[in-house]
Amino acid sequence: MVDIATRVWNHKWKIDPIVRSLIDTDFYKLLMCQSVFHNKPDTRVAFSLINRSKSVRLADLVDEGELREQLDNVRSLSLSRGESTFLRGNTFYGKRQMFRPDFMAWLEALRLPPYHLEKRDGQYELTFEGPWPEVMLWEVPALAILMELRSRAVMRDMGRFELQVLYARAMTKLWEKVERLRAHPGLTIADFGTRRRHSFLWQDWCVQAMMEGLGASFTGTSNCLIAMRREVEAIGTNAHELPMVYAALAETDEELAEAPYRVLADWHEEHEGNLRIILPDTYGTEGFLRRAPDWLAGWTGVRIDSGDPVVGAETAIKWWKERGEDPREKRVIFSDGLDVDTMIDLYEAFRERVRVSFGWGTLLTNDFRGLVKDDALAPFSLVCKAVSANGRPTVKLSDNPRKATGPLAEIERYKRVFGVGEQKPMDVTVFDGLGGAVFGGLGRRISCLSGRARGILPIALPAIQTG
Amino acid sequence: MVDIATRVWNHKWKIDPIVRSLIDTDFYKLLMCQSVFHNKPDTRVAFSLINRSKSVRLADLVDEGELREQLDNVRSLSLSRGESTFLRGNTFYGKRQMFRPDFMAWLEALRLPPYHLEKRDGQYELTFEGPWPEVMLWEVPALAILMELRSRAVMRDMGRFELQVLYARAMTKLWEKVERLRAHPGLTIADFGTRRRHSFLWQDWCVQAMMEGLGASFTGTSNCLIAMRREVEAIGTNAHELPMVYAALAETDEELAEAPYRVLADWHEEHEGNLRIILPDTYGTEGFLRRAPDWLAGWTGVRIDSGDPVVGAETAIKWWKERGEDPREKRVIFSDGLDVDTMIDLYEAFRERVRVSFGWGTLLTNDFRGLVKDDALAPFSLVCKAVSANGRPTVKLSDNPRKATGPLAEIERYKRVFGVGEQKPMDVTVFDGLGGAVFGGLGRRISCLSGRARGILPIALPAIQTG
């Protein structure tokens, strides 16, 4: 029977919204936002969209009017009563009232600040400027909107059954991954795929399929809206954004050297248990751990998000041992460029030495590789980063010099201050059939594992000029 | 928005019907029914279900109560006003008023006669007895019900996403066939898959996917209900049932020898053009054509439904030439055990010599091979045949002695009367991964083609005793 009222309601849609809620974002954004709200509320920042995959000419594919409509729609959103109740009332990481009343009152009143949009050389220049706690919440919706508008553009001329078969193929592809993963019952995974998802509906499907297919081995999703609706854990801790901005604010080299630890000292005060996860690679993992205060070795674990994941995990294990900690009590979260082979290899390599878990992103929620002509739906490497704080440029080094961002002179200064010597340049991988899109960290060679990665091509990514 | 009225309506369902219309049947059944209604209205026949795939223990899988509910539901159906309008008003094969008023009046009043159901050795014995024009309409719904109840039984314990992925895989599988077929634009296909379909909804999906994917190369469906709803041609002519019953009614050997031609003489009076398609294999193709009257060579084409399809087509071509006909003006319809490779091979082999077309059945609407554990959804070989007419057993020989049916003594008599000598036994094929189900004619070796058929095992099928 046709539900006439629903059809008539649908007629009235101005747009089919991509981001339909302020909490359609990653949980760690809200945790970090609360931390920033309390510790650095007056910092002014600029965030900027960077498409590392130059071959995907977004401004040619995506209509500017549609993009503006979607961005404007996000600016019209505010926290709903139910969303507020969820954030106030839910247990996150075993803790009630994770979000404090003053932060919640601020969040309930929040509307996102304006954006600045221009076209240049077939790409969009999209920037956000304003108070840090406001601007930072643009990152995830901005990325999700551009990813999904690109998907919609590619699918616009497809037939109805062609579309159904496209999704049938994508479902089959994901399910085959689930079937392989569940042969390793101790391998636990969370969805980290919000920002580069194919679409909201697809991410929601992927989460539900993981829930059914993996059962308790699926530990939750980074997406707060989906976590709320599907009644699973919201997962996440903190990201590079914090040390990058803290570092940019440093007045002296000494303050700069201390900045990453000040971030974690603020975090330490606020959080315990599984929320105490170190992200050590912003300015080089090895130096960071070498100079770390002892209290940091007491934290629950590390997240490995760049460089060779085996080297990263080994470095952390060695460090824990040196500080008298038992690595078997520690958690290592891998979250960089994962797919099934990598996860199984890493799990088997480390399962008896540490507590292993995975934050699976792009190749969970956007593995449309090989499904349409010219691989036009393959995921691509889009990021939205803090580029300045109180007028000073931010810098990121990571464990791969090809992923460094910031003005070259500042990069040299940071390398000196953080004692980063010669880093080994790592290939940034282009997948088979990816049609030239460049991935920041996906599928890199894993040095001492079985090395199932195929079709590795070296792509030199220049440091991005932001000064 | 929940459509409450629909949900409440759904609560009231006693069953989820498999056959939801009297015209959810093959078009040729209705054409033959009209012919029988006019020429042999008083003949009493018995039809019987025969599961050639003994390994599929239907009575263990399918609940008897559910089976009775579905069969009872068919007995409750009568032609709806819209269905009657369609049959009266539609143009079939370019002809208006294909169904005459007296037949339509009878059909509008029809309810299907009782059935007789028993369990034996893990199988259902299902028989129908009564006037030929009524009983014959049980064949297709009875088969479709048993096929779909078996599908439902296998899928009962599957999870929601597991089910979605199952259909995703089946859709992908069919679409890959469509993509291969449309590389051969002249290759025209009709859906002949009603009787052994996975389910009604799946057949309906397959037809729509073929419409979008093949365009004009998809010529229609044998299913009248789907043809009506999707506004495509209803396709079909006549079947073995007619010569089998005519032959059983013969009083003498001379009448028996004439029976297959009497069938076609009755048909010739009623139909022209593309409905004049000879089905020559009931008692051996070669002898049938050799003894055929000249007017039959003027018919539009032949349908090849058993034996080696290349031999069958070559036999017809040779016969047309002998009778002074130009084979390039004739149509050859292949309809036995087709899949993509076979169709492409046959099309390429004959496209310049005759007009080739295909009636694609089981592997269009039920190719769930390899999709679940133990291949429990693989199609199997279920038939429902006329076993007697006015108390006399029917006999079928076909072009493969392993497919012969009827009492052995009668088979010998028919072979003598029709001059059928030693026939070459053909393997009845078991597909890869079919889990032991036996196919009547699917995937047999094609002697002079590229022979892509794999995993051929000889299975001896004894003649079925019906006397």
mmCIF file of all heavy atoms in Angstrom, chain A residues 27-46:
data_model
loop_
_atom_site.group_PDB
_atom_site.id
_atom_site.type_symbol
_atom_site.label_atom_id
_atom_site.label_comp_id
_atom_site.label_asym_id
_atom_site.label_seq_id
_atom_site.Cartn_x
_atom_site.Cartn_y
_atom_site.Cartn_z
ATOM 1 N N PHE A 27 33.243 9.923 17.875
ATOM 2 C CA PHE A 27 33.186 10.092 19.335
ATOM 3 C C PHE A 27 34.398 10.846 19.860
ATOM 4 O O PHE A 27 34.282 11.695 20.740
ATOM 5 C CB PHE A 27 33.076 8.703 19.977
ATOM 6 C CG PHE A 27 32.993 8.725 21.468
ATOM 7 C CD1 PHE A 27 31.950 9.368 22.120
ATOM 8 C CD2 PHE A 27 33.963 8.086 22.241
ATOM 9 C CE1 PHE A 27 31.869 9.378 23.510
ATOM 10 C CE2 PHE A 27 33.881 8.097 23.627
ATOM 11 C CZ PHE A 27 32.839 8.751 24.255
ATOM 12 N N TYR A 28 35.598 10.597 19.311
ATOM 13 C CA TYR A 28 36.781 11.272 19.842
ATOM 14 C C TYR A 28 36.725 12.777 19.615
ATOM 15 O O TYR A 28 37.340 13.540 20.339
ATOM 16 C CB TYR A 28 38.077 10.638 19.372
ATOM 17 C CG TYR A 28 38.595 10.886 17.971
ATOM 18 C CD1 TYR A 28 39.840 10.356 17.620
ATOM 19 C CD2 TYR A 28 37.927 11.615 17.021
ATOM 20 C CE1 TYR A 28 40.377 10.550 16.367
ATOM 21 C CE2 TYR A 28 38.450 11.811 15.758
ATOM 22 C CZ TYR A 28 39.675 11.273 15.439
ATOM 23 O OH TYR A 28 40.196 11.468 14.199
ATOM 24 N N LYS A 29 36.001 13.224 18.594
ATOM 25 C CA LYS A 29 35.838 14.656 18.383
ATOM 26 C C LYS A 29 35.134 15.281 19.584
ATOM 27 O O LYS A 29 35.494 16.362 20.047
ATOM 28 C CB LYS A 29 35.013 14.911 17.115
ATOM 29 C CG LYS A 29 35.851 15.013 15.872
ATOM 30 C CD LYS A 29 36.585 16.363 15.807
ATOM 31 C CE LYS A 29 37.569 16.357 14.649
ATOM 32 N NZ LYS A 29 38.423 17.560 14.649
ATOM 33 N N LEU A 30 34.114 14.592 20.086
ATOM 34 C CA LEU A 30 33.387 15.148 21.234
ATOM 35 C C LEU A 30 34.243 15.103 22.505
ATOM 36 O O LEU A 30 34.238 16.054 23.290
ATOM 37 C CB LEU A 30 32.070 14.411 21.439
ATOM 38 C CG LEU A 30 31.058 14.549 20.287
ATOM 39 C CD1 LEU A 30 29.759 13.825 20.631
ATOM 40 C CD2 LEU A 30 30.779 16.027 19.981
ATOM 41 N N LEU A 31 34.981 14.013 22.682
ATOM 42 C CA LEU A 31 35.879 13.941 23.849
ATOM 43 C C LEU A 31 36.923 15.056 23.781
ATOM 44 O O LEU A 31 37.189 15.755 24.765
ATOM 45 C CB LEU A 31 36.597 12.588 23.883
ATOM 46 C CG LEU A 31 35.798 11.357 24.291
ATOM 47 C CD1 LEU A 31 36.701 10.134 24.268
ATOM 48 C CD2 LEU A 31 35.185 11.531 25.676
ATOM 49 N N MET A 32 37.528 15.224 22.589
ATOM 50 C CA MET A 32 38.561 16.250 22.442
ATOM 51 C C MET A 32 37.938 17.634 22.587
ATOM 52 O O MET A 32 38.542 18.549 23.146
ATOM 53 C CB MET A 32 39.253 16.126 21.082
ATOM 54 C CG MET A 32 40.118 14.860 20.955
ATOM 55 S SD MET A 32 41.195 14.892 19.481
ATOM 56 C CE MET A 32 39.978 14.845 18.172
ATOM 57 N N CYS A 33 36.725 17.778 22.061
ATOM 58 C CA CYS A 33 36.056 19.067 22.108
ATOM 59 C C CYS A 33 35.845 19.482 23.568
ATOM 60 O O CYS A 33 36.075 20.638 23.937
ATOM 61 C CB CYS A 33 34.723 18.974 21.374
ATOM 62 S SG CYS A 33 33.910 20.560 21.172
ATOM 63 N N GLN A 34 35.422 18.522 24.392
ATOM 64 C CA GLN A 34 35.234 18.838 25.811
ATOM 65 C C GLN A 34 36.565 19.257 26.443
ATOM 66 O O GLN A 34 36.637 20.225 27.217
ATOM 67 C CB GLN A 34 34.646 17.639 26.552
ATOM 68 C CG GLN A 34 34.572 17.867 28.049
ATOM 69 C CD GLN A 34 33.701 16.846 28.760
ATOM 70 O OE1 GLN A 34 32.595 17.138 29.149
ATOM 71 N NE2 GLN A 34 34.227 15.642 28.917
ATOM 72 N N SER A 35 37.623 18.552 26.090
ATOM 73 C CA SER A 35 38.939 18.868 26.634
ATOM 74 C C SER A 35 39.365 20.275 26.201
ATOM 75 O O SER A 35 39.825 21.084 27.012
ATOM 76 C CB SER A 35 39.943 17.812 26.155
ATOM 77 O OG SER A 35 41.229 18.109 26.616
ATOM 78 N N VAL A 36 39.178 20.598 24.931
ATOM 79 C CA VAL A 36 39.528 21.914 24.416
ATOM 80 C C VAL A 36 38.652 22.977 25.067
ATOM 81 O O VAL A 36 39.129 24.056 25.439
ATOM 82 C CB VAL A 36 39.373 21.933 22.875
ATOM 83 C CG1 VAL A 36 39.461 23.363 22.340
ATOM 84 C CG2 VAL A 36 40.420 21.036 22.229
ATOM 85 N N PHE A 37 37.372 22.665 25.195
ATOM 86 C CA PHE A 37 36.417 23.600 25.812
ATOM 87 C C PHE A 37 36.879 23.987 27.222
ATOM 88 O O PHE A 37 36.736 25.139 27.642
ATOM 89 C CB PHE A 37 35.041 22.934 25.848
ATOM 90 C CG PHE A 37 33.989 23.706 26.582
ATOM 91 C CD1 PHE A 37 33.381 24.805 25.976
ATOM 92 C CD2 PHE A 37 33.604 23.363 27.870
ATOM 93 C CE1 PHE A 37 32.391 25.523 26.659
ATOM 94 C CE2 PHE A 37 32.627 24.069 28.540
ATOM 95 C CZ PHE A 37 32.017 25.156 27.935
ATOM 96 N N HIS A 38 37.469 23.030 27.934
ATOM 97 C CA HIS A 38 37.917 23.341 29.291
ATOM 98 C C HIS A 38 39.327 23.932 29.339
ATOM 99 O O HIS A 38 39.598 24.801 30.164
ATOM 100 C CB HIS A 38 37.863 22.089 30.173
ATOM 101 C CG HIS A 38 36.470 21.726 30.540
ATOM 102 N ND1 HIS A 38 35.928 20.471 30.338
ATOM 103 C CD2 HIS A 38 35.455 22.467 31.070
ATOM 104 C CE1 HIS A 38 34.677 20.456 30.732
ATOM 105 N NE2 HIS A 38 34.360 21.650 31.177
ATOM 106 N N ASN A 39 40.207 23.479 28.465
ATOM 107 C CA ASN A 39 41.611 23.857 28.600
ATOM 108 C C ASN A 39 42.059 24.977 27.662
ATOM 109 O O ASN A 39 42.979 25.724 27.997
ATOM 110 C CB ASN A 39 42.497 22.630 28.380
ATOM 111 C CG ASN A 39 42.251 21.557 29.428
ATOM 112 O OD1 ASN A 39 42.399 21.822 30.625
ATOM 113 N ND2 ASN A 39 41.846 20.371 28.999
ATOM 114 N N LYS A 40 41.466 25.059 26.459
ATOM 115 C CA LYS A 40 41.915 26.068 25.483
ATOM 116 C C LYS A 40 40.712 26.712 24.794
ATOM 117 O O LYS A 40 40.654 26.760 23.554
ATOM 118 C CB LYS A 40 42.793 25.399 24.403
ATOM 119 C CG LYS A 40 43.968 24.575 24.896
ATOM 120 C CD LYS A 40 45.164 25.454 25.193
ATOM 121 C CE LYS A 40 46.297 24.553 25.696
ATOM 122 N NZ LYS A 40 47.397 25.387 26.254
ATOM 123 N N PRO A 41 39.734 27.190 25.568
ATOM 124 C CA PRO A 41 38.490 27.645 24.917
ATOM 125 C C PRO A 41 38.689 28.844 23.990
ATOM 126 O O PRO A 41 37.916 29.014 23.048
ATOM 127 C CB PRO A 41 37.593 28.004 26.102
ATOM 128 C CG PRO A 41 38.527 28.276 27.240
ATOM 129 C CD PRO A 41 39.716 27.387 27.026
ATOM 130 N N ASP A 42 39.726 29.650 24.222
ATOM 131 C CA ASP A 42 39.845 30.894 23.465
ATOM 132 C C ASP A 42 40.785 30.808 22.273
ATOM 133 O O ASP A 42 40.987 31.796 21.576
ATOM 134 C CB ASP A 42 40.307 32.019 24.393
ATOM 135 C CG ASP A 42 39.308 32.214 25.531
ATOM 136 O OD1 ASP A 42 38.086 32.042 25.262
ATOM 137 O OD2 ASP A 42 39.738 32.480 26.669
ATOM 138 N N THR A 43 41.353 29.642 22.058
ATOM 139 C CA THR A 43 42.241 29.474 20.913
ATOM 140 C C THR A 43 41.446 29.613 19.617
ATOM 141 O O THR A 43 40.362 29.045 19.488
ATOM 142 C CB THR A 43 42.893 28.079 20.959
ATOM 143 O OG1 THR A 43 43.454 27.897 22.249
ATOM 144 C CG2 THR A 43 43.938 27.924 19.883
ATOM 145 N N ARG A 44 42.020 30.383 18.673
ATOM 146 C CA ARG A 44 41.382 30.494 17.357
ATOM 147 C C ARG A 44 42.163 29.628 16.366
ATOM 148 O O ARG A 44 43.388 29.706 16.315
ATOM 149 C CB ARG A 44 41.347 31.951 16.886
ATOM 150 C CG ARG A 44 40.403 32.818 17.735
ATOM 151 C CD ARG A 44 40.210 34.189 17.122
ATOM 152 N NE ARG A 44 39.488 34.152 15.868
ATOM 153 C CZ ARG A 44 38.145 34.088 15.768
ATOM 154 N NH1 ARG A 44 37.397 34.061 16.848
ATOM 155 N NH2 ARG A 44 37.563 34.073 14.593
ATOM 156 N N VAL A 45 41.451 28.848 15.615
ATOM 157 C CA VAL A 45 42.130 27.934 14.684
ATOM 158 C C VAL A 45 41.551 28.079 13.285
ATOM 159 O O VAL A 45 40.472 28.650 13.095
ATOM 160 C CB VAL A 45 41.977 26.455 15.113
ATOM 161 C CG1 VAL A 45 42.639 26.205 16.468
ATOM 162 C CG2 VAL A 45 40.510 26.055 15.141
ATOM 163 N N ALA A 46 42.325 27.580 12.321
ATOM 164 C CA ALA A 46 41.800 27.400 10.964
ATOM 165 C C ALA A 46 41.968 25.931 10.585
ATOM 166 O O ALA A 46 43.026 25.335 10.841
ATOM 167 C CB ALA A 46 42.550 28.285 9.979
#
